[in-house]
Amino acid sequence: SGSVDNTIKLWSITDGRCLKTLKGHEDWVRSVSFSPDGSLLASGSNDHTIKLWLVSDGRLVRTLIGHSKGVESVSFSPVGSILASGSNDHTIKLWSITDGRCLKTLEGHSKNVNSVSVSPDGSLLASGSDDNTIKLWIRELIRGLPPNLLAELNFEDWNGNGILEANESATIEIAITNKGKGPAHRLEVVVEDDHHDTALALGKQKINRLDPDKSFEVTILLTAGIDLKSAEHRLKINVLEYFGYDMDPAYLLLSTQAYQPPQLVFSGIDIVDWGDETGAIVEDGQLQAGELVKTNLVVQNIGQRASENTTYTVTSTDPNIYISEGSGFLGYIETGEVKEFWVTISPNKRVTTTEKLPIYLTLTESVGKGNLENFQLPIRLNQKPPETKVVEVKPDIERIQRQIARFEYKSSKFKTRVKLVEDIWVVQSSRTRRPNSVAVVIGVEHYKHLPPAPYAVKDAELMEKHFKERLGVDEVVIYREDEVTGLVFDDLFNPDYGELQKVVVKGETELFVYYSGHGLPNKDGSEVYLFPSDGKVEQLEKLGYSLKKFYENLSLLGARHTTVILDACFSGGSRSSSMIKAENLVAHKAVGLRIKEPWRQYPNFTIINSSTGAETSLGFDQSKTGLFTYYLALGLQGKADTDGNRSITLGELKAYVIENVVNTSKKISGVQTPQFYGPDDQVLVEW
């Protein structure tokens, strides 16, 4: 509070105590104002000055001198860097909080200026005066040192599948940081669509000012109407600055999916003509004139979308057919789901037709595109209705193309937001111990004749630690880079003369194999190969080690149980990441893999693959490992322990790794779906 006693007092709102009295003005204190962050207090006085006080200890920071008469009003800008003051000298002044300079004097009022206020976005100043007017002043922008804008991007759609579907909304979140020496003025974030669709509404946002070392997050809303078309959109994201210090554009590659309606159908009806609530002439499961029966109606949703707020109505156009309980609410019906309900029907003796009775079923859902309108029920007098038919319906994943939204940009000033990485290298020992167990760990990042497989060696080193400390493996042997050359795979895994056959005791040893590096398909996609660091694609079938032979030889080693973990893709592309583009590893275009899963014939095998055969296994720049191996390590460290019993099963690890890899991969480059094979109740780690 400011007072005619020339002081300012700070008060506790909780109990009304006076916390501090600030002294320094020589005349009445006419106005006080807290800075937006609460650290500073400005006071204007009849002594012609403005004083800035540190709230924490009441210390006077600075005195602003410039008005020729008393200061009636002070007001901070929203970011707190500028202070506006109104005075009895008929002027308004703008002050720099940083150094106390008067930046500008605004003249226009003919009498005392009693009140000033800065708009929430900082672009306008309002002033009130004894001249009976209010004036609005627009902030004049002065170009200074340039800003340097960086942005972090994130996309979220309502159902989280990475596709914008009809009647769905999504957001593009853009966190903009100014790392330059000067402020960015009047930023506009505008999204442009290369595929104009009137059913897709794109929002935009403005930031009035972004000072150096400050950040601001904007959210652009994408809203899809019911008439949205299926298309591939390339949304251009522009961040424009008033003086032209724009960012290079980024792009959101986004698939839109036209409305896939539910489809409500009649499946069958049963006639119940016995029991207390029925009146049958003959209890034969048929409807006769003069009877009152209960009918059990069966309906199904065979469409590709759930039916919401579903209702039913059963009516008749014949006044001699009485229907009760003929309407009701069925609610939410999933794709393929069946619902049943009961309706009472009673035709009197005047009903004599041998045709289907004029009884009609209508099913409605909230959007109205999947309704069943006036369907004539297959009910005839003196006949049993046809048998109920229910069809198997599954979501058509192939038709609803899973082209996951992803960002594309050339500028290093953009990056895609992912979860903050955790320290995966501090590995606590578990109480799990596996006597008579061995693990072979292989990591190949650099190849003589192929692009690198980023972070593959780090993957191997990380898993070496986890095999020892978390999984309790007795002996762990690691092979890196140049140690993985020539016929090394055969030298290791051959059941007759390989290194492993010397240490594996048939029926007793527990064997683990981990591989991170390139996997290559042959030309027709019928086989895939692990590949040594010095191999050439032209000698794929000679130097590569086919998965079929790999699993066959592992089986012939005769271990009590074998676990294979592969962080490799077999699609023909190299490992990519946010910063590293994928390259084609083979001389032909990618082919659809036609291999069968050879491990399925070996019941004592547990298999964990980083992705499906058609996907790319990604690198994770933030952790400097493979994306799959990062979450595999976190899961084994305890993140997968969903029930809190200090034990992790294969099922728990599977759920944790798949969810996190899929969600994070969408933000990096498409989708990666790990594959797990083995009993879900198999215990991996206890601590």
Side-chain angles (χ1 to χ4, degrees), residues 274-489:
W274 61 89
D276 293 340
E277 297 181 3
T278 64
I281 298 172
V282 180
E283 293 182 357
D284 58 359
Q286 302 178 22
L287 180 61
Q288 280 90 28
E291 288 189 330
L292 184 146
V293 300
K294 303 286 281 186
T295 58
N296 177 231
L297 278 78
V298 182
V299 298
Q300 187 181 15
N301 175 16
I302 64 170
Q304 287 297 311
R305 182 188 287 270
S307 173
E308 299 182 43
N309 299 315
T310 314
T311 62
Y312 67 86
T313 305
V314 178
T315 59
S316 176
T317 56
D318 187 339
N320 294 305
I321 298 176
Y322 305 112
I323 295 175
S324 55
E325 301 169 320
S327 62
F329 184 72
L330 297 175
Y332 193 87
I333 309 179
E334 285 278 10
T335 293
E337 187 178 0
V338 173
K339 286 280 180 94
E340 300 180 11
F341 55 93
W342 292 87
V343 174
T344 301
I345 300 176
S346 178
N348 64 24
K349 289 287 190 175
R350 297 176 184 175
V351 179
T352 58
T353 180
T354 58
E355 301 299 321
K356 284 194 294 186
L357 298 181
I359 301 174
Y360 300 93
L361 169 66
T362 294
L363 300 170
T364 63
E365 45 89 20
S366 55
V367 176
K369 291 184 176 289
N371 293 350
L372 177 67
E373 304 279 358
N374 293 319
F375 174 81
Q376 188 172 7
L377 295 175
I379 303 175
R380 287 181 166 85
L381 292 178
N382 307 309
Q383 288 188 26
K384 285 191 175 182
E387 289 186 6
T388 297
K389 292 183 179 179
V390 174
V391 298
E392 183 180 1
V393 181
K394 295 181 180 179
D396 190 349
I397 302 301
E398 295 301 323
R399 186 163 58 86
I400 304 175
Q401 177 63 38
R402 291 300 186 232
Q403 180 62 47
I404 305 302
R406 63 194 186 280
F407 290 103
E408 183 181 88
Y409 41 82
K410 296 180 180 178
S411 172
S412 61
K413 295 182 179 181
F414 278 105
K415 65 178 181 178
T416 303
R417 179 183 299 173
V418 295
K419 294 178 182 177
L420 294 175
V421 298
E422 300 188 46
D423 189 352
I424 50 176
W425 294 94
V426 178
V427 184
Q428 299 292 328
S429 295
S430 72
R431 63 184 177 91
T432 298
R433 289 293 172 265
R434 289 182 160 84
N436 197 2
S437 61
V438 63
V440 175
V441 181
I442 301 170
V444 184
E445 180 171 349
H446 298 98
Y447 289 79
K448 289 185 179 179
H449 306 291
L450 292 172
Y455 315 131
V457 171
K458 287 290 186 185
D459 288 343
E461 292 169 349
L462 181 64
M463 288 308 299
E464 178 190 25
K465 291 171 69 77
H466 281 75
F467 280 130
K468 290 178 179 178
E469 303 298 334
R470 294 303 284 174
L471 295 173
V473 176
D474 263 358
E475 183 180 356
V476 182
V477 183
I478 186 170
Y479 293 81
R480 308 175 183 87
E481 303 287 61
D482 291 342
E483 297 170 314
V484 189
T485 58
L487 300 176
V488 62
F489 296 112

Side-chain angles (χ1 to χ4, degrees), residues 161-163 232 253-256 400-406 670:
N161 68 355
I163 301 170
E232 300 294 324
L253 307 182
L254 178 66
S255 291
T256 54
I400 304 175
Q401 177 63 38
R402 291 300 186 232
Q403 180 62 47
I404 305 302
R406 63 194 186 280

Side-chain angles (χ1 to χ4, degrees), residues 225-288:
I226 192 68
D227 296 321
L228 185 74
K229 299 178 181 65
S230 294
E232 300 294 324
H233 295 253
R234 193 167 188 256
L235 301 180
K236 184 179 181 183
I237 303 169
N238 295 297
V239 180
L240 308 175
E241 197 266 349
Y242 182 78
F243 289 109
Y245 297 114
D246 306 335
M247 294 191 71
D248 293 333
Y251 297 88
L252 174 63
L253 307 182
L254 178 66
S255 291
T256 54
Q257 178 65 54
Y259 186 74
Q260 302 292 316
Q263 186 178 348
L264 298 171
V265 298
F266 168 81
S267 297
I269 185 171
D270 283 326
I271 294 175
V272 177
D273 56 358
W274 61 89
D276 293 340
E277 297 181 3
T278 64
I281 298 172
V282 180
E283 293 182 357
D284 58 359
Q286 302 178 22
L287 180 61
Q288 280 90 28

Side-chain angles (χ1 to χ4, degrees), residues 470-530:
R470 294 303 284 174
L471 295 173
V473 176
D474 263 358
E475 183 180 356
V476 182
V477 183
I478 186 170
Y479 293 81
R480 308 175 183 87
E481 303 287 61
D482 291 342
E483 297 170 314
V484 189
T485 58
L487 300 176
V488 62
F489 296 112
D490 197 53
D491 292 339
L492 276 171
F493 302 121
N494 191 288
D496 297 323
Y497 51 78
E499 293 298 315
L500 274 179
Q501 59 89 25
K502 300 175 184 177
V503 296
V504 172
V505 179
K506 291 183 182 294
E508 296 183 16
T509 303
E510 190 171 2
L511 174 62
F512 294 84
V513 179
Y514 174 88
Y515 173 83
S516 181
H518 286 322
L520 275 73
N522 62 5
K523 289 187 177 182
D524 64 2
S526 61
E527 187 56 271
V528 291
Y529 297 82
L530 306 180

Side-chain angles (χ1 to χ4, degrees), residues 27-175:
D27 207 335
W28 294 7
V29 179
R30 307 290 290 178
S31 179
V32 289
S33 178
F34 282 106
S35 64
D37 64 2
S39 63
L40 290 175
L41 180 77
S43 57
S45 168
N46 272 359
D47 66 6
H48 308 178
T49 70
I50 300 158
K51 292 186 183 292
L52 299 177
W53 311 83
L54 201 61
V55 172
S56 59
D57 59 9
R59 181 164 49 90
L60 178 63
V61 177
R62 183 172 283 111
T63 299
L64 310 180
I65 300 173
H67 283 295
S68 60
K69 291 187 179 180
V71 178
E72 294 288 327
S73 180
V74 288
S75 177
F76 278 95
S77 67
V79 293
S81 60
I82 294 175
L83 182 77
S85 61
S87 170
N88 292 334
D89 64 9
H90 307 176
T91 70
I92 299 132
K93 290 185 183 290
L94 302 179
W95 307 85
S96 167
I97 297 302
T98 307
D99 55 17
R101 288 182 301 116
C102 179
L103 302 173
K104 191 170 288 291
T105 299
L106 308 178
E107 299 178 341
H109 284 296
S110 59
K111 292 188 178 180
N112 297 348
V113 179
N114 298 314
S115 180
V116 289
S117 181
V118 183
S119 66
D121 67 358
S123 63
L124 288 174
L125 174 74
S127 59
S129 168
D130 279 346
D131 64 10
N132 301 339
T133 69
I134 301 161
K135 293 187 184 295
L136 294 177
W137 312 81
I138 191 166
R139 184 175 179 183
E140 181 183 348
L141 301 180
I142 301 172
R143 184 174 62 83
L145 292 171
N148 179 19
L149 300 175
L150 309 176
E152 202 173 65
L153 305 169
N154 187 42
F155 173 82
E156 297 286 348
D157 61 319
W158 180 80
N159 64 12
N161 68 355
I163 301 170
L164 184 62
E165 298 166 38
N167 263 10
E168 187 185 25
S169 61
T171 57
I172 304 172
E173 297 163 359
I174 309 171

